[in-house]
Amino acid sequence: MKTFLKPISFLLLMILMGSCKTDNKLELFNGENLDNWNIYVSSPDVEPGELFWVEEGVINTLGIPNGYIRTKETYSNFELHVEWRWTGKPTNSGVLINVQGKEMIWPLCIECQLMNEKAGDIVLIGKSSGITIQDTTYLVTSEENRYKVIPKFEDVSEKPAGEWNSYDITVQGGNIEVLVNGILQNRGSAMTLSEGNIALQSEGSAMQFRNITLIPLD
């Protein structure tokens, strides 16, 4: 009897843990508006609502000019889920995590790349942004040369333009794990930026975002 109960008890524990995670999930995008976000636009000639807007339950961006939406709240340890697709020619974008400092076109942060065929790359942006990946430590040491790109592990795991893709980004205790459509594309540790806002970029061409959720891991 005891032997039979042990696997059942383990299964119940796993179900309860999964339920707790679901209960703790935050909807960063409510499907109706961008009230949880600030919009930054690089050009004074374009209104924020012209660059990012919500229609039929998804976030749309023209991609031009450069800009981003940035959460009003800051986060540290979390599981982030973001879905995106290109509605125009696939070009460039990114999911920015641990965003710090003032609003500017390329803020201090760590970027999980969305450039076409580069999703899963990690980009360090801004002086003092750093990470260790596969026993190599990368650090941006100046504002004059404020970008470092660390390539993804595997071949392209993105879907063709028009189809939805998923990013699953886990950040905990200075570690990061990045999955693109379920494929592990990057993993790092010792991130120098431990908390901040989350941002989604406009950087090239029309695209959409949806199902943006976060599970705190604190």
Side-chain angles (χ1 to χ4, degrees):
M1 180 63 72
K2 288 182 180 179
T3 304
F4 177 71
L5 287 176
K6 281 182 180 179
I8 293 179
S9 298
F10 178 75
L11 178 60
L12 288 173
L13 177 62
M14 295 303 292
I15 292 172
L16 286 171
M17 288 176 65
S19 176
C20 289
K21 269 194 172 185
T22 302
D23 291 344
N24 206 23
K25 182 183 294 185
L26 304 176
E27 301 285 344
L28 299 187
F29 170 53
N30 60 17
E32 298 178 0
N33 54 55
L34 295 174
D35 288 354
N36 295 334
W37 306 76
N38 292 317
I39 303 177
Y40 175 83
V41 183
S42 62
S43 171
D45 299 326
V46 177
E47 293 294 323
E50 295 175 340
L51 185 60
F52 286 95
W53 71 96
V54 177
E55 187 174 353
E56 296 183 353
V58 301
I59 300 172
N60 295 267
T61 181
L62 294 176
I64 299 173
N66 291 336
Y68 50 79
I69 54 172
R70 179 172 173 173
T71 58
K72 294 180 179 179
E73 299 294 327
T74 60
Y75 305 94
S76 52
N77 299 316
F78 54 82
E79 293 179 4
L80 175 67
H81 178 82
V82 179
E83 296 177 10
W84 84 94
R85 70 176 176 184
W86 299 99
T87 57
K89 179 182 178 181
T91 54
N92 203 355
S93 184
V95 177
L96 311 182
I97 64 167
N98 297 346
V99 182
Q100 300 181 10
K102 64 181 181 180
E103 299 285 6
M104 57 186 295
I105 188 58
W106 310 120
L108 176 63
C109 67
I110 293 176
E111 176 184 359
C112 296
Q113 181 67 270
L114 285 182
M115 180 186 292
N116 185 43
E117 298 189 347
K118 298 292 184 180
D121 286 5
I122 287 179
V123 184
L124 305 179
I125 303 177
K127 183 179 179 181
S128 80
S129 180
I131 194 171
T132 297
I133 295 179
Q134 294 183 327
D135 298 324
T136 299
T137 297
Y138 304 86
L139 181 67
V140 177
T141 57
S142 73
E143 282 298 314
E144 288 71 30
N145 186 17
R146 63 194 308 271
Y147 307 95
K148 284 188 182 295
V149 180
I150 303 105
K152 62 186 187 302
F153 293 166
E154 306 293 340
D155 292 337
V156 176
S157 57
E158 301 160 50
K159 297 179 182 178
E163 296 185 25
W164 287 102
N165 299 273
S166 65
Y167 238 152
D168 289 287
I169 302 165
T170 302
V171 174
Q172 188 169 33
N175 302 316
I176 184 172
E177 187 174 83
V178 178
L179 282 73
V180 178
N181 294 323
I183 304 299
L184 177 64
Q185 288 289 9
N186 233 314
R187 178 187 284 141
S189 61
M191 290 190 297
T192 58
L193 305 178
S194 60
E195 65 178 349
N197 309 108
I198 293 166
L200 306 175
Q201 288 184 312
S202 162
E203 193 188 357
S205 60
M207 66 186 305
Q208 296 176 325
F209 297 97
R210 70 177 186 184
N211 295 338
I212 306 165
T213 62
L214 181 143
I215 299 174
L217 297 178
D218 292 322

